[in-house]
Structure formats: structure tokens, C-alpha cells
């Protein structure tokens, strides 16, 4: 028995989980994805392993994708984008552009799962010289190297002896307008630091941070093992600039625990770039007429603060990092709640 | 139309949200609560305002309770406890003790929403002298004072001039076995610090911390305003002991930013006690035969790590802080996902 249609925009972890859940609850699902395949950012950015449990990313996201896309009530539209919406909760008419063609989908509820993009360190923080020095990379770049088991200095193809992660690049930064914390970068850098030590046991790995935000089990599952079993060095410090020194990189800043200036030489520097709302999130918010917060994320939670997936428009819900910096558990959970709300809307368009 | 029954254990925020969502999805819900009323820890511990948006706790939780308990398909059993379970997914028979009487509920799926308890600072950390000095209180005690607009030194009933919060009491502590981070205490202490400054503008308020874990929007919504608008003083430091000094309290430790020993006098010290699984969580895990992690929380997520509400037993799901330290958004989201999984189980007992 079908209860009507839920249209889901974005086939990353949030959209896939929402699709699986809504279909299991009896809805027809139309899953709209602008890329030519599902999987979202973990797929597009070649994630190696997931935080914090080190499960193979392809395998985990693949299982989720399989569960969602193999369901008989889930229709996947790749290479497709939402271009218009009319109607209201219980009776939306959504215009979809697919290559040269266009179609209209009737849906009772909509879930926005358009996710985030990695902060581009070239935009405002030129002083980190991401675009000048090939050995300055981002955590997204590092994922690909870890996945290929090829952690090298891009400048010469040699494995690095000294690797530094710099936290809060594009986060907690008023100058660029991203005052929020991106939540996941401390965990991801720590996971990557462990993987670097596993792949290059003789390397030395440093993480320069303001606060290590290893909340919940990340503390005992990642942060302690990183230090005790893998000898990752955590340095509370502020990095002001990265300079070339001979053929290596000089990090200049302040060691705030020691209370003194710091200058250290590294072979490879990894910028822990934060989250920003994706272009897709901004565009879809515009097209659907959804309120966004000052950072461009979709405003969620409503005035009651007891519904984290509610948007400003009844019948339209938001899952995952389109609304806020989110780890994968957050993403799966909000996707499930959004799916439940969407299916409840099909049953009863005007919610109690 | 009803699709069968979901039994939910615990009527705090997680259980109420799960009940509301499962009922909206068409299930009959039996909500079992051991206290004589719904609301859970925010009600029992007299929470004043919620983190991070300062919404009145009674009002917000009251709205959620109303939405859940007024639904015609939700039956609330207060003063009741689950004492046995037989059967399997799709066909559980749950024994419930209610005062002198006993009954059996048939349910297709079960959601455990038995939550956390505040760490008891008397258990192992006698050096903080919680049970010796009346002016050493916990964040749970502080909630009640804030709610009553009576922030005073319990020893003499006078408003404190200097207030200190001490973070990570019962968290990130290997000696007592709680290595995990309790996730929410940095945010709650910051919220309370702002409220103290609002109620006692002439007080000075300090927060002694290891890392300020103000993830996501807590950074810009709480941490920056606390410092800039409310002049809360954050001190990175380790507190080793609290002593009596005349009729005040002497905090002794190390200021790790300044790299020197620290001795400061306070009128009121607030211990930011962490989360532990509640007695109810431990008991229910035992009765239902659910795996627990080494801390006593219900093991969740399963081997796939793509289902944060799955327990070790099919058809039984976990929501909120019974599985892990959780903020309220986490709690609502996992409750929604658990409700969706439970209702899907009613539709299709053997899940794909």
C-alpha cells in the first residue's frame, strides 16, 4: 500500500537514509540527485574511512545506497535538479529538469538533503597558501590519498616525515563570517592522523588546535587512542601563517599552552577545512522559498525548538548538513526524523 | 487505521518525541513511565531554560508532552515499569508492573528511551567536597535556583559575588571509568553562566575548562555572547581541589594557559557533572537482554554503523541518552528515527 509520494532532494547520506526510511514506512519516494550517481560528498570526495569507527566509507555508504535504491518504492532521478515548486503540504508540484527534458512530480511532502561543501581555503585565508604551495592540502584532499594508500608530498611524490593538521580553517572565524564551529573537523583530523601513522609508521604527526571538540565517544574512541596508541601530537596553538622554507613548509604561530611563539618545519600541512552550506543547499532554499540562517544553512527547528527538521514552510523538512554542521550519526538521525515527519504529512497534511 | 503497537519505555524528551512520531505514523503507542508524570529529567531536575536557545523548559517540554499524550493512539502508563519481555520483533509480549497490578502488552516493536542520570560527584571525587561544603553544588542544583530566581549561597542564603563552574566532573576521567565526554556540559554551563549574570549582574562568573566543546551553533549562539555580552570569564585550567577558606571556597589547580599554579576564592562553585546511563537504562537493558557498552549505555549502531538507533536485538530500538551522551536535538532526532524504525517493523517485521 502506498500513502503518497515524498520527494527528496539530494542522494548523499541524508537523502539515502530519508529515502530508505520513508519507503519502509510505505511512501513512494522520488529521490532527485544532480550528479550522475548517488553517494553524495563521501563518494564525490573519495572518503577513505568513516569517523569515528574506521568503517570503509564505500562499503558503509554503499550498503545504505543499496538499501535505499533497491527498494521498489524508491525512484532515483540522477542528473536532475529541482527548478520550481508550487502548491502546499499534501499537494506539492515540483518541477524537475533532467538534461534536456523537464517533468513535474506530485508530492505530498519534500525533504531537503542537499548537504554541505568543504570550505575553500583559497577564498579568504590566502595566508595559508593553499593555492600557492602544493604541499598544503585539505582534509578532503587527504581522504583521497589515504584511500589510495599514497600519502605523499604532492611537490615531490615522497612520503612526508612530518605532517601537521591545522584546525578551524574556515570555522570559528568572524573575519570570513563563519562564526560557527563545524563540529566534525576535530574528529576527522584525529581519524586521519591515526591513518597516516598506520600507513607511515615513521612519520611524526601534529594537530594544532584551539579546543579539541571530541564530544561523546569520540573522546574515548579516537582522541585517547590517537595519543596513546598512535602517538599523535596535539598542540594547543594558533597558526598565523605558512611559509616556504627551502623545499619544506614553515608553520609560524603561537603555542598557547607554552605561551610562546612557535616555528616548526613540516613536509605536509593539512588544513582542517570546515563545513559550509553547499551551493545546492543555497539554490534549493531559494527555489523552495525556505528561510536560511545568516550562514546560508536552511533555518531549522522553528520557534518551538522541539522539531529540528522543521523548516519555515509546512510540509518541507530538512535532513543532515543542509541545516547545520552534522556528523554522520546526526545525519542519519535527522534523516529518519524528517522521513517520519514527511510520511506523517502524507497521512495528515495539517499536522497537530 | 492502526498498524499495531509500539511500546515505548520512558516518557522524557526521547520517549515523548518517539510517541508523538509513532502515533502520527499510525501506530498505537503504549508509553510506560516509572514516575507519576511525564517529562523526564528536564521535569524531575527542574530545568530552567533549554540549551542553547533559552526557551523555557517547562513550556517546551510541556508542548511536546501535550502533543504526545493528547494523541488518541497514545496510552500513557505512569507509575509503571517493564519487568519482562518475551517473543520477538513483530510479536513481543511485555510484562508491566503497575503498583500492585501486573499486565501484559502485546507490541510489535519496542523503543527504549530511559535516558541518563547526572553523575553523582560524591561517588569518587570527594576532593571536590560536594557533600562536605554546601556552597559546592552541581549544574542540576543550579537549574533549580535559576528557575526560582534564587541564585544564592546555600550556606547563608546570600547572592554570591564570585561563581565558578568546573567542567568535566565525572567525564573524560579514566580513574572513575568515564572516559567519554558528556557532550552537553560545556553548553549547559555557558547557558547557566549567562543566566547567573542576567540575574546577578554584579557577580563575576568563571568557567574552568579543559576544552570548550561548543560545537556547531553553540559556538556563535552561546560561547561568543557569553564572553562578549555577558563577560563570563573562561579559564583553561585543571582544578585539583576545593578547600574551605574562612566562609568561602578556595579553588586550587593549574591555569594551563598561563602555565602556573592557580588559587582563587569563590562564593559558589558549580560542578558540571556529566551524564551516566540511568538506573532505568541499566535495568531495562538487562530485562530486554540488550548489549550495553562498557559504560552501561545501550550499545547502538550495530556492526554496520549506519543505524544509530539499532540495538543488539531486532525490533528493539534506542532513542536519546540511553545510548550515548546527547543534547536535545540529538534526542529528538534519534527518537524520530527510532519511531520510524519501530513503525516500519510493524509493517514488515523482518527488515530488509
Amino acid at each position: 500500500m502506498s500513502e503518497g509520494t515524498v520527494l527528496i532532494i539530494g542522494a548523499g547520506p541524508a537523502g539515502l537514509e530519508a529515502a530508505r526510511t520513508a519507503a519502509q514506512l510505505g511512501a513512494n519516494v522520488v529521490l532527485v540527485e544532480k550528479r550522475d550517481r548517488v553517494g553524495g560528498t563521501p563518494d564525490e570526495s573519495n572518503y577513505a574511512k568513516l569517523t569515528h569507527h574506521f568503517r570503509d566509507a564505500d562499503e558503509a555508504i554503499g550498503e545504505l545506497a543499496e538499501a535505499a535504491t533497491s527498494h521498489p518504492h524508491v525512484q532515483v532521478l540522477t542528473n536532475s535538479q529541482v527548478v520550481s515548486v508550487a502548491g502546499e503540504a499534501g499537494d506539492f508540484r515540483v518541477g524537475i529538469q533532467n538534461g534536456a527534458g523537464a517533468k513535474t512530480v506530485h508530492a505530498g511532502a519534500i525533504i531537503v538533503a542537499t548537504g554541505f561543501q568543504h570550505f575553500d581555503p583559497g577564498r579568504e585565508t590566502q595566508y595559508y597558501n593553499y593555492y600557492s604551495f602544493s604541499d598544503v592540502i585539505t582534509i578532503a584532499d587527504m581522504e583521497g590519498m589515504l584511500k589510495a594508500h599514497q600519502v605523499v608530498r604532492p611537490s615531490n611524490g615522497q612520503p612526508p616525515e612530518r605532517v601537521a593538521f591545522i584546525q578551524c580553517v574556515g570555522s570559528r572565524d568572524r573575519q570570513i563570517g563563519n562564526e560557527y564551529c563545524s563540529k566534525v573537523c576535530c574528529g576527522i583530523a584525529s581519524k586521519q592522523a591515526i591513518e597516516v601513522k598506520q600507513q607511515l609508521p615513521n612519520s611524526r604527526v601534529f594537530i594544532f588546535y584551539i579546543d579539541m571538540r571530541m564530544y561523546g565517544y569520540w573522546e574515548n574512541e579516537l582522541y585517547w587512542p590517537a595519543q596513546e596508541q598512535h602517538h599523535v601530537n596535539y598542540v594547543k596553538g594558533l597558526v598565523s601563517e605558512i611559509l616556504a622554507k627551502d623545499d619544506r613548509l614553515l608553520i609560524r604561530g603561537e603555542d598557547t599552552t607554552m605561551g610562546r611563539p612557535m616555528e616548526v618545519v613540516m613536509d605536509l600541512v593539512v588544513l582542517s577545512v570546515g563545513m559550509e552550506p553547499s551551493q545546492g543547499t543555497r539554490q534549493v532554499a531559494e527555489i523552495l522559498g525556505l528561510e536560511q540562517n545568516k550562514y546560508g544553512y536552511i533555518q531549522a527547528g522553528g520557534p518551538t525548538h522541539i522539531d529540528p527538521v522543521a523548516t519555515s514552510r509546512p510540509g518541507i523538512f530538512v535532513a543532515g548538513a543542509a541545516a547545520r554542521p552534522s556528523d554522520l550519526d546526526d545525519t542519519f538521525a535527522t534523516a529518519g526524523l524528517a522521513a517520519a515527519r514527511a510520511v506523517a504529512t502524507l497521512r495528515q497534511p495539517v499536522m497537530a
Side-chain angles (χ1 to χ4, degrees), chain A residues 229-240:
Chain A
Q229 294 163 33
H230 302 281
H231 310 293
V232 174
N233 301 287
Y234 288 84
V235 181
K236 185 169 165 73
L238 297 170
V239 173
S240 54

Side-chain angles (χ1 to χ4, degrees), chain A residues 112 114-116 277 281 293 296-301 308-311 318-326 334:
Chain A
V112 179
T114 43
F116 74 98
T281 291
N293 67 19
Y297 289 100
I298 290 167
Q299 183 72 45
V309 300
T311 71
V318 60
R324 57 181 75 82
S326 301
T334 53

Side-chain angles (χ1 to χ4, degrees), chain A residues 22-217:
Chain A
Q24 285 173 348
L25 291 170
N28 283 321
V29 173
V30 176
L31 180 57
V32 181
E33 168 57 44
K34 69 176 176 189
R35 295 172 66 227
D36 63 358
R37 51 192 283 177
V38 305
T41 303
D43 177 68
E44 190 172 14
S45 291
N46 270 313
Y47 283 12
K49 294 182 176 172
L50 299 181
T51 304
H52 65 269
H53 40 69
F54 291 88
R55 183 146 191 245
D56 183 90
D58 283 344
E59 207 178 273
I61 304 300
E63 276 174 22
L64 178 59
E66 173 64 18
T69 61
S70 69
H71 196 288
H73 290 169
V74 176
Q75 182 191 1
V76 184
L77 302 179
T78 51
N79 297 308
S80 298
Q81 294 197 53
V82 167
V83 291
S84 66
V85 66
E88 58 191 319
D91 181 31
F92 289 113
R93 294 175 301 286
V94 184
I96 294 170
Q97 188 75 32
N98 177 316
K103 65 189 282 187
T104 299
V105 172
H106 288 257
I110 298 172
I111 296 172
V112 179
T114 43
F116 74 98
Q117 64 190 25
H118 296 285
F119 173 75
D120 180 343
R123 199 182 69 193
E124 295 281 349
T125 55
Q126 296 92 337
Y127 47 87
Y128 283 140
N129 278 316
Y130 175 71
Y131 285 101
S132 308
F133 300 152
S134 59
D135 293 339
V136 177
I137 65 174
T138 70
I139 48 173
D141 302 323
M142 177 57 96
E143 282 294 325
M145 297 208 296
L146 289 166
K147 192 168 183 174
H149 283 260
Q150 283 286 343
V151 176
V152 296
R153 303 178 66 197
S155 64
N156 64 7
Q158 295 301 306
E161 287 173 25
R162 293 166 63 88
V163 179
F165 290 83
I166 299 177
Q167 298 306 107
C168 300
V169 178
S171 305
R172 305 181 69 180
D173 187 333
R174 182 171 287 171
Q175 281 202 293
I176 60 164
N178 292 358
E179 293 116 343
Y180 57 85
C181 159
S182 290
K183 192 171 184 179
V184 303
C185 335
C186 286
I188 290 171
S190 296
K191 182 211 71 146
Q192 292 189 348
I194 291 173
E195 290 177 279
V196 169
K197 290 290 293 185
Q198 288 172 331
Q199 294 188 18
L200 301 174
N202 294 324
S203 63
R204 294 195 65 192
V205 179
F206 302 82
I207 297 181
F208 296 94
Y209 71 96
I210 310 176
D211 297 276
M212 279 314 290
R213 294 191 164 166
M214 307 295 279
Y215 49 83
Y217 299 142

Side-chain angles (χ1 to χ4, degrees), chain A residues 293-333:
Chain A
N293 67 19
K294 64 189 281 203
Y295 311 115
Y297 289 100
I298 290 167
Q299 183 72 45
T304 65
H305 297 292
I306 56 172
D307 194 350
V309 300
T311 71
S312 59
R313 195 162 167 189
I316 304 184
F317 307 94
V318 60
R324 57 181 75 82
S326 301
D327 64 33
L328 271 174
D329 275 351
D330 298 337
T331 295
F332 296 141

